[in-house]
Amino acid sequence: MNIRKVSTTPFSDQKPGTSGLRKAVKPFQQPHYLENFIQSIFDSVGELQGQTLVLGGDGRYYNRQAIQIILKMAAANGIGLIKVGQGGILSTPATSAIIRKYQAIGGIILSASHNPGGPNGDFGVKYNIGNGGPAPEKVTEAIYDRSKVIDSYQILEAPDVDLETLGESHLGETVVEVIDSVQDYQELMESLFDFDRIQQLLTSGNFRIGIDALHAVAGPYAHAIFEKRLGAPKGTVRNGTPLEDFGGGHPDPNLVYAHELVDILYGDNAPDFGAAFDGDGDRNMILGRKFFVTPSDSLAILAANAKLVPGYSSGLAGVARSMPTSQAVDRVAAQMGIESYETPTGWKFFGNLLDAGKATLCGEESFGTSSNHIREKDGVWAVLFWLNILAERQQSVEEIVREHWQTYGRNYYSRHDYEGIEIEPANTLIARLDSLLPTLKGKQFGNYQVEYSDDFSYTDPVDGSISEKQGIRIGFTDGSRIVVRLSGTGTQGATLRVYIESYEADPAKHNLDPQEALASLIAIVEEIAQIRELTGREQPTVIT
């Protein structure tokens, strides 16, 4: 077998975004495109000789072909051992867990997360570093810089690897180990949660759950853990086989795209608990019977009840949330006497806090929650956490949430997404808002007076690094706020995200629909940002 050095020329569009390089499938299928980016990773992450690399993806279209290319390139670049998921399948949280367990140099995750799949869908490549977390900006910048000047890549001439059979084989001097996709991850979950107590709940006959994996990577994990290990009836997990096009669906666990599950939980004879996961298994949606739990509330409730769970029974060092996430968890932290950190959007910003022992739980409003057990969001973990709490408290999801509001008050919260809008008007809208920021303080909009307005800047408390222009914030004197930012996870046009939040302490006012409770703030957003006028959109694509 020979190592081939292939001459190439750079592509100008290989700058990683919030979670790696995401494009439509077709650009990745261009000659040299994937290879250039992979070689840029290998050229940027340090000494590779004899190191261990973890490799897998969410099963979307082009996953298998890309894995074969990466295996041969990793071998040509001197990697000693590659742990690859059976069938090329590894969830993002499982990849993080395996990197940490086996002290790998890092991992390559093939996913575009919650974006659609299939030949006309999206594809993505993300590099995670040795702590199991997404590469920080200094690493992604180095990869991008390398991609702009790359002139060759190395690849081994060899037959494809059998990805179906567990065990070891060789690519030249490199050992390729096809591993059970679930085993290491499940062992980690069993070390954190009271599986016996959860099993009692799920087999009691008095508590039913429904899980929707949306034909994405979490399916095998959900089948193995909820049905086989914890005893939930067969059929509890819906859409549990990963498909290259996610069954034609959109693997984003929200009220719009997981509507089949929502219909079940809001229908007659609904289960007691429901959950859905995204493409790569790191996001989660939590539902009770006819009751939706916002991701912001979910994070706050997990923090408030953490001592009920074995892995967190000694308490939390601190909590962290992304800036657009509601301030509900801050109220829990204040009562517990622990620090609450506010970071930019992007899981990589939690890594330093977790590594330094400053935070234990962290979360984002975009349906992502996790802890210091790995360095990624973790959908199945979040569901197990909820089930452990439910098993201990013996209350319904709705009862637990309403009790939480009575104790801490309710942060009414909603996110309005305008997907696939044209980039130019989106940029114009943000630039116009930015220019207004210095003029807004003290202005009155209805009953709301502006207390501050800025473009969020974050100074990392661990390494002192500064991240600027992370989202426009307009805060009011009563604690309400509006946040506007462009998302970095889409591949088509621009996605404008608008976040609206207000706090209500009075339990008598905790039963409003969030859109009703936030109606005056939503009108203020339109007045200030002129979304309809600048984008032509009459209403959001998705409201959560």
XYZ file of all heavy atoms in Angstrom, residues 191-264:
569
model
N -22.905 5.557 35.089
C -22.116 6.055 36.219
C -22.703 7.341 36.802
O -22.360 7.717 37.926
C -20.662 6.306 35.782
O -20.551 7.494 35.000
N -23.583 8.006 36.060
C -24.132 9.297 36.493
C -25.546 9.193 37.052
O -25.910 9.951 37.952
C -24.161 10.269 35.303
C -22.817 10.678 34.702
C -23.035 11.485 33.428
C -21.996 11.473 35.704
N -26.348 8.285 36.511
C -27.768 8.240 36.842
C -28.140 6.938 37.545
O -27.448 5.922 37.401
C -28.604 8.407 35.569
C -28.343 9.702 34.859
C -27.593 9.733 33.686
C -28.809 10.895 35.376
C -27.324 10.926 33.047
C -28.552 12.101 34.743
C -27.809 12.119 33.575
N -29.237 6.983 38.290
C -29.746 5.806 38.987
C -30.615 5.016 38.016
O -31.838 5.187 37.964
C -30.535 6.251 40.218
C -30.929 5.079 41.109
O -30.942 3.935 40.614
O -31.236 5.308 42.297
N -29.969 4.155 37.235
C -30.692 3.395 36.218
C -31.735 2.472 36.831
O -32.795 2.251 36.252
C -29.708 2.590 35.357
C -29.219 3.337 34.140
C -28.835 4.666 34.217
C -29.134 2.699 32.900
C -28.381 5.348 33.098
C -28.688 3.380 31.768
C -28.315 4.699 31.873
N -31.449 1.928 38.015
C -32.418 1.025 38.639
C -33.692 1.781 39.015
O -34.810 1.287 38.810
C -31.812 0.369 39.887
C -30.697 -0.617 39.543
O -30.656 -1.082 38.386
O -29.876 -0.909 40.433
N -33.527 2.999 39.518
C -34.690 3.804 39.903
C -35.493 4.216 38.663
O -36.724 4.192 38.675
C -34.206 5.049 40.665
C -35.305 5.837 41.360
C -35.872 5.040 42.528
N -37.082 5.673 43.049
C -37.113 6.427 44.143
N -36.006 6.631 44.828
N -38.236 6.948 44.568
N -34.781 4.588 37.607
C -35.474 4.954 36.370
C -36.196 3.736 35.792
O -37.330 3.838 35.305
C -34.483 5.541 35.340
C -33.841 6.830 35.882
C -35.192 5.829 34.018
C -32.699 7.356 35.025
N -35.552 2.568 35.857
C -36.174 1.350 35.344
C -37.460 1.035 36.107
O -38.471 0.635 35.510
C -35.207 0.178 35.455
C -35.736 -1.107 34.827
C -34.691 -2.203 34.789
O -33.721 -2.170 35.539
N -34.871 -3.165 33.910
N -37.441 1.235 37.414
C -38.660 1.019 38.213
C -39.784 1.922 37.713
O -40.939 1.498 37.607
C -38.379 1.310 39.689
C -37.507 0.276 40.380
C -37.090 0.726 41.787
O -37.607 1.710 42.314
N -36.163 0.008 42.374
N -39.450 3.178 37.409
C -40.453 4.118 36.914
C -41.015 3.661 35.570
O -42.239 3.646 35.367
C -39.830 5.508 36.783
C -40.735 6.615 36.227
C -41.811 6.991 37.238
C -39.905 7.849 35.839
N -40.132 3.268 34.662
C -40.555 2.936 33.296
C -41.268 1.590 33.205
O -41.944 1.325 32.210
C -39.346 2.953 32.356
C -38.615 4.286 32.195
C -37.575 4.197 31.080
C -39.595 5.424 31.906
N -41.089 0.734 34.206
C -41.738 -0.584 34.171
C -42.864 -0.688 35.197
O -43.419 -1.765 35.400
C -40.707 -1.704 34.433
O -40.060 -1.477 35.693
C -39.658 -1.739 33.334
N -43.216 0.436 35.820
C -44.235 0.422 36.885
C -45.647 0.227 36.345
O -46.547 -0.167 37.090
C -44.180 1.740 37.668
O -44.560 2.832 36.826
N -45.828 0.528 35.054
C -47.168 0.477 34.490
C -47.946 1.763 34.696
O -49.062 1.910 34.178
N -47.361 2.703 35.451
C -48.041 3.968 35.743
C -47.413 5.161 35.034
O -47.840 6.297 35.243
C -48.011 4.247 37.261
C -48.660 3.143 38.052
O -49.722 2.651 37.668
N -48.030 2.743 39.147
N -46.403 4.898 34.200
C -45.661 6.010 33.596
C -45.218 5.594 32.202
O -44.518 4.591 32.035
C -44.439 6.351 34.462
C -43.702 7.588 34.022
C -44.068 8.835 34.497
C -42.632 7.506 33.137
C -43.389 9.977 34.107
C -41.952 8.645 32.735
C -42.329 9.881 33.221
N -45.645 6.361 31.208
C -45.289 6.031 29.827
C -44.488 7.167 29.205
O -44.747 8.347 29.472
C -46.557 5.787 28.991
C -47.331 4.537 29.398
C -48.537 4.313 28.492
N -49.487 5.421 28.579
C -49.904 6.128 27.539
N -49.458 5.852 26.305
N -50.771 7.107 27.703
N -43.538 6.797 28.355
C -42.745 7.804 27.659
C -42.793 7.564 26.151
O -43.062 6.453 25.691
C -41.266 7.833 28.138
C -40.509 6.573 27.705
C -41.185 7.997 29.640
C -39.000 6.635 27.987
N -42.549 8.625 25.406
C -42.422 8.532 23.950
C -41.161 9.255 23.518
O -40.923 10.394 23.928
N -40.352 8.591 22.729
C -39.081 9.151 22.273
C -39.086 9.187 20.753
O -39.420 8.192 20.107
C -37.881 8.294 22.742
C -37.871 8.143 24.267
C -36.568 8.864 22.219
C -37.509 9.375 25.031
N -38.704 10.322 20.157
C -38.608 10.424 18.704
C -37.171 10.790 18.337
O -36.687 11.877 18.673
C -39.571 11.490 18.176
C -39.787 11.380 16.664
O -38.894 10.842 15.972
O -40.847 11.828 16.182
N -36.500 9.854 17.661
C -35.118 10.094 17.248
C -35.034 10.737 15.870
O -33.927 10.983 15.363
C -34.326 8.780 17.269
N -36.164 10.994 15.227
C -36.237 11.703 13.947
C -35.343 11.075 12.872
O -34.777 11.754 12.037
C -35.874 13.190 14.137
C -36.805 13.992 15.063
C -36.308 15.423 15.219
C -38.232 13.985 14.547
N -35.228 9.749 12.894
C -34.418 8.987 11.934
C -32.966 9.456 11.917
O -32.313 9.445 10.866
C -35.016 9.080 10.524
C -36.250 8.261 10.350
N -36.279 6.901 10.581
C -37.511 8.610 9.977
C -37.501 6.441 10.346
N -38.267 7.459 9.991
N -32.473 9.884 13.062
C -31.114 10.410 13.144
C -30.283 9.570 14.104
O -30.692 8.485 14.519
C -31.151 11.876 13.568
N -29.118 10.074 14.484
C -28.112 9.241 15.133
C -28.507 8.772 16.535
O -28.011 7.750 17.011
C -26.756 9.986 15.184
C -26.721 10.977 16.331
C -25.586 9.020 15.288
N -29.386 9.501 17.213
C -29.729 9.120 18.587
C -30.546 7.832 18.649
O -30.668 7.245 19.728
C -30.492 10.250 19.279
N -31.088 7.380 17.509
C -31.913 6.182 17.516
C -31.266 4.971 18.162
O -31.837 4.360 19.075
N -30.061 4.560 17.728
C -29.422 3.391 18.342
C -29.176 3.561 19.843
O -29.273 2.597 20.605
C -28.100 3.278 17.578
C -28.349 3.956 16.264
C -29.306 5.064 16.570
N -28.861 4.778 20.271
C -28.630 5.035 21.696
C -29.932 4.937 22.470
O -29.983 4.367 23.569
C -28.003 6.430 21.876
C -26.657 6.558 21.214
C -26.550 6.862 19.857
C -25.487 6.338 21.929
C -25.312 6.957 19.236
C -24.234 6.436 21.313
C -24.169 6.742 19.956
O -22.942 6.818 19.350
N -31.008 5.475 21.894
C -32.311 5.436 22.560
C -32.844 4.009 22.652
O -33.364 3.593 23.698
C -33.298 6.335 21.817
N -32.706 3.226 21.571
C -33.125 1.821 21.609
C -32.358 1.065 22.691
O -32.950 0.330 23.490
C -32.886 1.151 20.257
C -33.935 1.427 19.226
N -35.273 1.136 19.423
C -33.848 1.962 17.980
C -35.964 1.475 18.344
N -35.125 1.987 17.456
N -31.047 1.235 22.714
C -30.201 0.479 23.653
C -30.469 0.870 25.103
O -30.536 0.004 25.989
C -28.726 0.700 23.314
N -30.623 2.158 25.360
C -30.714 2.627 26.748
C -32.150 2.598 27.264
O -32.431 2.012 28.331
C -30.105 4.032 26.874
C -28.588 3.960 26.616
C -30.380 4.624 28.257
C -27.887 5.297 26.542
N -33.096 3.171 26.531
C -34.458 3.300 27.060
C -35.247 2.002 26.951
O -35.965 1.629 27.884
C -35.200 4.447 26.372
C -34.557 5.778 26.589
C -34.008 6.484 25.529
C -34.457 6.322 27.864
C -33.389 7.707 25.730
C -33.841 7.542 28.075
C -33.296 8.242 27.004
N -35.113 1.317 25.826
C -35.888 0.087 25.652
C -35.159 -1.128 26.221
O -35.716 -1.855 27.056
C -36.213 -0.121 24.168
C -37.190 0.910 23.613
C -37.612 0.646 22.176
O -37.063 -0.284 21.546
O -38.495 1.362 21.682
N -33.926 -1.369 25.790
C -33.238 -2.604 26.203
C -32.778 -2.553 27.663
O -32.999 -3.488 28.429
C -32.048 -2.877 25.283
C -32.464 -3.241 23.861
C -31.252 -3.512 22.980
C -31.693 -3.791 21.541
N -30.536 -3.901 20.622
N -32.125 -1.458 28.082
C -31.567 -1.414 29.428
C -32.600 -1.005 30.475
O -32.645 -1.573 31.575
C -30.365 -0.462 29.457
C -29.797 -0.166 30.847
C -29.291 -1.433 31.543
N -28.775 -1.137 32.871
C -29.519 -1.057 33.971
N -30.831 -1.282 33.914
N -28.970 -0.787 35.142
N -33.420 -0.025 30.162
C -34.323 0.532 31.174
C -35.734 -0.043 31.106
O -36.562 0.272 31.955
C -34.376 2.057 31.053
C -33.056 2.763 31.398
C -33.137 4.249 31.063
C -32.707 2.573 32.871
N -36.007 -0.872 30.102
C -37.248 -1.632 30.102
C -38.479 -0.949 29.558
O -39.600 -1.441 29.724
N -38.309 0.188 28.895
C -39.470 0.811 28.254
C -39.984 -0.127 27.162
O -39.207 -0.820 26.503
C -39.090 2.157 27.657
N -41.283 -0.172 26.939
C -41.837 -1.107 25.956
C -41.269 -0.881 24.563
O -40.955 0.248 24.178
C -43.341 -0.799 25.980
C -43.579 -0.118 27.284
C -42.325 0.619 27.614
N -41.144 -1.948 23.819
C -40.717 -1.840 22.430
C -41.692 -0.946 21.680
O -42.905 -1.059 21.852
C -40.670 -3.233 21.786
C -39.953 -3.252 20.460
C -39.755 -4.677 19.948
C -38.989 -4.668 18.642
N -38.815 -6.019 18.090
N -41.152 -0.045 20.888
C -41.991 0.927 20.205
C -42.018 2.271 20.896
O -42.557 3.250 20.356
N -41.420 2.318 22.096
C -41.306 3.608 22.797
C -40.503 4.585 21.956
O -40.803 5.780 21.902
C -40.622 3.410 24.166
O -41.474 2.630 25.007
C -40.315 4.743 24.828
N -39.456 4.067 21.292
C -38.600 4.904 20.446
C -39.155 4.892 19.030
O -39.224 3.840 18.383
C -37.142 4.406 20.462
C -36.280 5.243 19.514
C -36.584 4.423 21.875
N -39.561 6.034 18.543
C -40.062 6.192 17.186
C -38.927 6.659 16.279
O -38.017 7.368 16.696
C -41.171 7.254 17.139
C -42.363 6.975 17.997
C -43.260 8.203 18.123
N -43.521 8.843 16.846
C -44.427 8.423 15.978
N -45.155 7.351 16.259
N -44.609 9.054 14.835
N -39.017 6.293 15.005
C -38.053 6.766 13.998
C -36.614 6.567 14.480
O -35.781 7.468 14.430
C -38.310 8.248 13.673
C -39.728 8.493 13.193
O -40.274 7.699 12.417
N -40.342 9.569 13.653
N -36.338 5.346 14.956
C -35.065 5.074 15.615
C -33.960 4.546 14.723
O -32.868 4.256 15.221
N -34.213 4.397 13.436
C -33.167 3.931 12.516
C -32.598 5.125 11.755
O -33.330 5.825 11.055
C -33.742 2.924 11.505
O -34.295 1.809 12.219
C -32.656 2.426 10.563
N -31.285 5.390 11.895
C -30.701 6.520 11.155
C -30.830 6.318 9.651
O -30.514 5.248 9.128
C -29.218 6.495 11.583
C -29.197 5.750 12.868
C -30.291 4.729 12.765
N -31.331 7.322 8.963
C -31.461 7.293 7.511
C -30.666 8.436 6.898
O -30.527 9.497 7.495
C -32.933 7.410 7.102
C -33.872 6.309 7.593
C -35.306 6.613 7.183
C -33.434 4.940 7.079
N -30.162 8.213 5.673
C -29.289 9.207 5.056
C -29.994 10.543 4.817
O -29.349 11.592 4.769
C -28.722 8.674 3.740
C -27.703 7.562 3.935
C -26.957 7.227 2.651
O -27.514 7.481 1.552
O -25.823 6.724 2.738
N -31.324 10.507 4.670
C -32.068 11.760 4.472
C -33.004 12.040 5.641
O -33.905 12.868 5.534
C -32.861 11.717 3.169
C -33.964 10.655 3.196
O -33.981 9.812 4.135
O -34.821 10.675 2.288
N -32.775 11.349 6.789
C -33.608 11.503 7.980
C -35.082 11.304 7.656
O -35.960 11.976 8.220
C -33.377 12.872 8.641
C -31.930 13.146 8.955
C -31.281 14.226 8.381
C -31.217 12.308 9.788
C -29.935 14.475 8.647
C -29.867 12.552 10.064
C -29.231 13.634 9.488
N -35.340 10.385 6.720
C -36.722 10.089 6.361
C -37.431 11.243 5.681
O -38.662 11.313 5.678
N -36.651 12.149 5.102
C -37.236 13.323 4.459
C -37.600 14.423 5.438
O -38.115 15.473 5.033
N -37.320 14.202 6.720
C -37.668 15.195 7.734
C -36.527 16.146 8.033
O -35.458 16.104 7.418
N -36.782 16.996 8.989
C -35.823 18.012 9.412
C -35.441 17.661 10.850
O -36.251 17.819 11.753
C -36.494 19.386 9.339
C -35.564 20.543 9.499
N -35.721 21.710 8.795
C -34.479 20.722 10.273
C -34.762 22.564 9.134
N -34.008 21.981 10.040
N -34.229 17.152 11.099
C -33.908 16.592 12.421
C -33.595 17.662 13.460
O -32.509 17.720 14.034
C -32.687 15.727 12.120
C -31.972 16.462 11.031
C -33.073 17.053 10.176
N -34.574 18.532 13.695
C -34.418 19.626 14.653
C -35.513 19.459 15.702
O -36.700 19.561 15.377
C -34.565 20.968 13.926
C -34.053 22.135 14.751
O -33.739 21.926 15.936
O -33.972 23.251 14.209
N -35.163 19.166 16.961
C -36.187 18.810 17.956
C -36.893 20.032 18.520
O -36.638 20.478 19.641
C -35.368 18.090 19.037
C -34.022 18.760 18.972
C -33.805 19.102 17.521
N -37.796 20.591 17.739
C -38.613 21.698 18.232
C -40.076 21.430 17.923
O -40.429 20.407 17.331
C -38.131 23.044 17.665
C -38.202 23.112 16.150
O -39.156 22.644 15.531
N -37.174 23.682 15.530
N -40.931 22.349 18.311
C -42.375 22.118 18.199
C -42.847 22.032 16.757
O -43.900 21.451 16.475
C -43.125 23.239 18.923
C -42.911 23.292 20.441
C -43.485 24.577 21.021
C -43.528 22.080 21.118
N -42.082 22.600 15.817
C -42.467 22.569 14.409
C -41.984 21.285 13.738
O -42.766 20.547 13.122
C -41.910 23.804 13.667
C -42.166 23.695 12.167
C -42.536 25.074 14.225
N -40.695 20.989 13.850
C -40.119 19.880 13.095
C -40.325 18.515 13.758
O -40.212 17.484 13.098
C -38.639 20.136 12.840
C -38.411 21.346 11.945
C -37.580 22.386 12.322
C -39.072 21.460 10.730
C -37.385 23.499 11.509
C -38.908 22.560 9.906
C -38.061 23.576 10.299
O -37.891 24.677 9.496
N -40.605 18.493 15.051
C -40.919 17.225 15.729
C -42.426 17.149 15.996
O -42.870 16.699 17.055
C -40.127 17.118 17.030
N -43.199 17.574 14.997
C -44.647 17.718 15.196
C -45.348 16.393 15.448
O -46.386 16.360 16.131
C -45.288 18.439 14.010
C -45.070 17.753 12.694
N -45.905 16.770 12.236
C -44.090 17.890 11.760
C -45.464 16.324 11.063
N -44.369 16.993 10.746
N -44.811 15.276 14.911
C -45.446 13.969 15.165
C -45.459 13.672 16.663
O -46.473 13.237 17.216
C -44.695 12.851 14.426
C -44.941 12.804 12.937
C -44.228 11.624 12.290
O -43.791 10.709 13.023
O -44.089 11.613 11.058
N -44.318 13.887 17.312
C -44.238 13.658 18.754
C -45.125 14.650 19.506
O -45.817 14.275 20.462
C -42.784 13.786 19.223
C -42.569 13.535 20.713
C -42.721 12.058 21.038
C -41.191 14.029 21.165
N -45.100 15.896 19.089
C -45.920 16.916 19.739
C -47.399 16.533 19.661
O -48.142 16.624 20.656
C -45.681 18.304 19.087
C -46.655 19.335 19.651
C -44.239 18.758 19.317
N -47.839 16.054 18.498
C -49.236 15.643 18.346
C -49.581 14.511 19.306
O -50.686 14.467 19.869
C -49.508 15.190 16.903
C -49.482 16.360 15.914
O -49.519 17.523 16.357
O -49.397 16.092 14.695
N -48.644 13.585 19.501
C -48.877 12.462 20.422
C -48.982 12.956 21.866
O -49.873 12.560 22.614
C -47.745 11.415 20.285
C -47.845 10.701 18.937
C -47.786 10.407 21.432
C -46.639 9.853 18.598
